[in-house]
């Protein structure tokens, strides 16, 4: 049976609440007898999922990361395909998408997924060949958001952007050299926000396919924000506009 490992209390709890059938086995570090551990083990018992108390060394051997004392073996989740997302667009009254053009750091991808979930983004889109994979570190940093927000990998990002434009989605890209600021952008209708890669920003072809380019005003000495921080800032300006 195919399986993958996830770790961290939030990540395991998210699968347990949203799709418990995926859970195959859970390992908890010895000495964990707090309320969080008791709640998880009680829920696992209720679902009939096997769990064991093990030494930290066994958890360390299963995953490469700060596991927080819990690791789970799960069946792989269903991955959305490009066609799935394009088909879903017609059923959403005001699509709200996040496109990450080349975010390769798993911690940044996980943080972006977490912000996307909090902001009500319906899907996060990444290019297949220029992105971090949805690995256990991403799932842990996402604190459960990787289980609720579809991560869609597309073969040709520029082609995908043209397809959603044809479906009526307005695409707003972020670029330091843009003349307009974040607060001049229009996020009220069907919209996709595009964030570029760490350091390099959006690729040229991605930039050319945006309907509008905006920058985040910077008043201090630093020239830019971490991509996950910048994503949160932009998403919540969109939330402000879309809820007003």
């Amino acid at each position: 049976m195919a399986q993958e490992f996830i770790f961290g209390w939030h990540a395991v709890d998210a699968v347990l609440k949203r799709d418990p059938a995926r859970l195959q086995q859970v390992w908890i570090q010895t000495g964990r007898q707090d309320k969080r551990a008791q709640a998880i083990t009680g829920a696992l018992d209720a679902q009939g999922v096997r769990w064991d108390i093990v030494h930290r060394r066994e958890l360390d051997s299963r995953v490469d990361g700060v596991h927080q004392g819990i690791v789970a073996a799960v069946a792989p989740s269903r991955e959305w395909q490009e066609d799935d997302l394009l088909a879903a667009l017609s059923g959403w009254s005001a699509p709200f998408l996040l496109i990450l053009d080349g975010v390769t750091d798993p911690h940044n991808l996980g943080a972006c997924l977490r912000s996307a979930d909090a902001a009500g983004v319906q899907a996060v889109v990444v290019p297949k060949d220029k992105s971090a994979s949805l690995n256990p570190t991403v799932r842990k940093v996402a604190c459960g958001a990787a289980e609720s927000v579809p991560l869609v990998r597309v073969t040709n990002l520029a082609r995908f952007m043209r397809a959603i434009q044809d479906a009526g989605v307005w695409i707003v890209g972020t670029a330091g050299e843009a003349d307009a600021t974040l607060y001049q952008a229009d996020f009220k209708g069907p919209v996709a926000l595009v964030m570029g890669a760490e350091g390099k920003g959006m690729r040229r072809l991605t930039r050319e396919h945006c309907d509008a380019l905006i920058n985040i005003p910077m008043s201090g000495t630093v020239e830019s924000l971490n991509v996950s921080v910048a994503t949160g800032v932009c998403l919540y300006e969109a939330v402000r506009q879309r809820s007003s």
Side-chain angles (χ1 to χ4, degrees), residues 9-234:
W9 295 94
H10 286 294
V12 175
D13 188 52
V15 176
L16 183 56
K17 289 178 177 177
R18 297 187 177 100
D19 196 3
R22 290 179 56 209
L23 284 166
Q24 299 171 351
Q25 187 171 356
V26 177
W27 297 270
I28 299 173
Q29 184 175 318
T30 183
R32 289 299 302 252
Q33 297 178 336
D34 51 86
K35 291 183 178 180
R36 171 178 273 180
Q38 291 173 7
I40 287 283
T41 55
L44 292 171
D45 287 338
Q47 292 291 338
V49 179
R50 177 184 172 185
W51 58 273
D52 296 300
I53 300 295
V54 299
H55 194 277
R56 178 175 177 171
R57 286 193 299 270
E58 183 167 344
L59 300 183
D60 292 342
S61 69
R62 293 185 182 278
V63 297
D64 181 18
V66 182
H67 49 65
Q68 297 179 319
I70 187 168
V71 174
V74 299
S77 58
R78 174 185 174 273
E79 289 190 5
W80 277 45
Q81 303 300 315
E82 182 175 342
D83 289 344
D84 295 326
L85 178 51
L86 292 175
L89 285 177
S90 61
W92 294 335
S93 59
F96 186 17
L97 307 178
L98 172 63
I99 298 173
L100 302 175
D101 184 25
V103 174
T104 57
D105 183 282
H107 292 86
N108 281 335
L109 178 56
C112 288
L113 281 168
R114 185 175 182 178
S115 294
D117 176 79
V121 168
Q122 290 149 314
V124 176
V125 179
V126 297
K128 281 187 176 180
D129 59 348
K130 295 288 183 180
S131 173
S133 61
L134 191 57
N135 62 26
T137 297
V138 173
R139 293 182 184 277
K140 190 252 185 182
V141 174
C143 290
E147 313 306 325
S148 60
V149 181
L151 182 69
V152 186
R153 296 185 177 277
V154 300
T155 303
N156 186 313
L157 186 57
R159 182 182 65 197
F160 171 79
M161 292 171 71
R162 289 195 297 270
I164 64 173
Q165 284 170 323
D166 290 342
V169 176
W170 180 257
I171 301 179
V172 179
T174 52
E177 71 275 13
D179 294 326
T181 73
L182 166 66
Y183 306 109
Q184 295 170 306
D186 182 1
F187 290 107
K188 291 185 177 179
V191 69
L193 170 68
V194 187
M195 305 299 298
E198 301 97 337
K200 296 181 180 179
M202 291 185 295
R203 290 174 291 177
R204 178 188 58 80
L205 196 57
T206 303
R207 183 184 292 106
E208 290 176 355
H209 280 79
C210 292
D211 294 301
L213 294 177
I214 54 96
N215 68 70
I216 299 175
M218 304 293 292
S219 300
T221 58
V222 297
E223 295 182 356
S224 63
L225 298 173
N226 170 277
V227 64
S228 63
V229 174
T231 297
V233 170
C234 293

